[in-house]
Amino acid sequence: MAKKFGLVFILAALAALCLAGGEAVPADSGAEIPAGEKYVALTFDDGPRRGTTDRLLDGLGERGVKATFFLIGEQIEANAALVTRMAEEGHQIGNHTWSHVHLGGANAAQEVEGTEKALEELLGGEGYWLRPPYGDAPEGMTFSVPLVKWSVDPRDWENRDAEKVARSILENVEPGSIILLHDIYPSSVEAALKVADRLREEGYWFVTVEELLRLNGVTPEAGTMYRTGRG
């Protein structure tokens, strides 16, 4: 089923390109994204979690949607297959600290470094982008990677109603938005897929945060907090 939807998505994208006559921009995942289109980034915090993250990945794959996942380090080892799947399917993976603590504490550096090490050992590479818990990066703390906040927050952790969460996103989204969700709640997974379907109908393209910045002409810098695709 996923392959079928993926093929339909690719054919639709090619058709749109032919009709628009626009240039294509290569994405990090290898796909071609039409230039000058409406881009948005879905981001997910606090995972991975079996039973919800895998359902989300299934739904995103069926729709050809790429997202960004900010992972809790202490959950990586037990969910290594899910993390590997994220990477293989072209999603961006980021660091959300080891145990979701505020970075103002004494163990802040260890919290960041622990998750970075876990990701490097599992996936290779280095320099995984960071989303500080609660979106707060204390002044005076040095970061060696870009930081990512958000511009659309439906507070899905507080409101576990998929319809309300989806409506909140749709009422506030605009091109360049970075949407905050949590892949540990079934209602958030349902809301994310509803939003993906609706925004695709409206001509949006879903890309990773890194792609979103690049497509908007922004060069990511270490230690800078990005709230939208425009910086």
Side-chain angles (χ1 to χ4, degrees):
M1 181 65 72
K3 290 183 179 178
K4 179 179 178 182
F5 276 92
L7 179 59
V8 171
F9 181 77
I10 292 170
L11 291 174
L14 291 174
L17 277 172
C18 292
L19 290 173
E23 297 180 353
V25 179
D28 290 345
S29 59
E32 294 286 323
I33 303 172
E37 296 290 335
K38 298 188 288 187
Y39 308 115
V40 67
L42 278 174
T43 68
F44 299 92
D45 287 6
D46 295 0
R49 176 173 291 178
R50 278 176 297 204
T52 52
T53 303
D54 45 354
R55 283 180 49 218
L56 175 62
L57 290 172
D58 289 344
L60 296 178
E62 290 172 356
R63 293 161 173 79
V65 169
K66 303 305 178 189
T68 302
F69 292 84
F70 293 96
L71 307 184
I72 299 295
E74 63 184 5
Q75 296 167 193
I76 291 174
E77 183 177 1
N79 296 283
L82 281 175
V83 179
T84 301
R85 180 182 172 187
M86 290 174 189
E88 290 175 344
E89 294 182 359
H91 302 291
Q92 183 178 353
I93 297 173
N95 185 337
H96 200 40
T97 73
W98 184 260
S99 59
H100 202 282
V101 298
H102 192 278
L103 290 182
N107 297 323
Q110 293 92 321
E111 284 279 330
V112 174
E113 292 166 4
T115 300
E116 172 73 21
K117 181 179 179 182
L119 290 172
E120 290 178 3
E121 290 178 350
L122 179 62
L123 301 176
E126 61 182 359
Y128 290 87
W129 292 19
L130 175 68
R131 172 169 278 165
Y134 315 106
D136 186 15
E139 291 186 13
M141 187 173 180
T142 301
F143 298 94
S144 60
V145 296
L147 311 179
V148 181
K149 200 169 180 178
W150 55 82
S151 57
V152 178
D153 178 8
R155 298 177 70 85
D156 61 321
W157 55 270
E158 180 179 60
N159 182 2
R160 308 291 177 83
D161 184 313
E163 291 290 344
K164 290 182 179 179
V165 170
R167 184 164 59 250
S168 176
I169 294 171
L170 294 171
E171 289 174 350
N172 292 283
V173 72
E174 60 184 14
S177 289
I178 296 176
I179 301 167
L180 170 64
L181 286 165
H182 299 78
D183 54 310
I184 60 175
Y185 305 122
S187 54
S188 297
V189 171
E190 183 181 348
L193 299 180
K194 287 179 181 292
V195 167
D197 289 339
R198 176 66 178 276
L199 291 184
R200 282 179 58 196
E201 291 175 356
E202 296 180 10
Y204 278 85
W205 287 77
F206 290 89
V207 295
T208 67
V209 173
E210 186 171 5
E211 290 169 343
L212 185 67
L213 292 171
R214 182 164 54 81
L215 289 164
N216 279 283
V218 177
T219 301
E221 297 182 1
T224 298
M225 180 81 82
Y226 296 95
R227 295 170 174 79
T228 75
R230 297 180 179 84

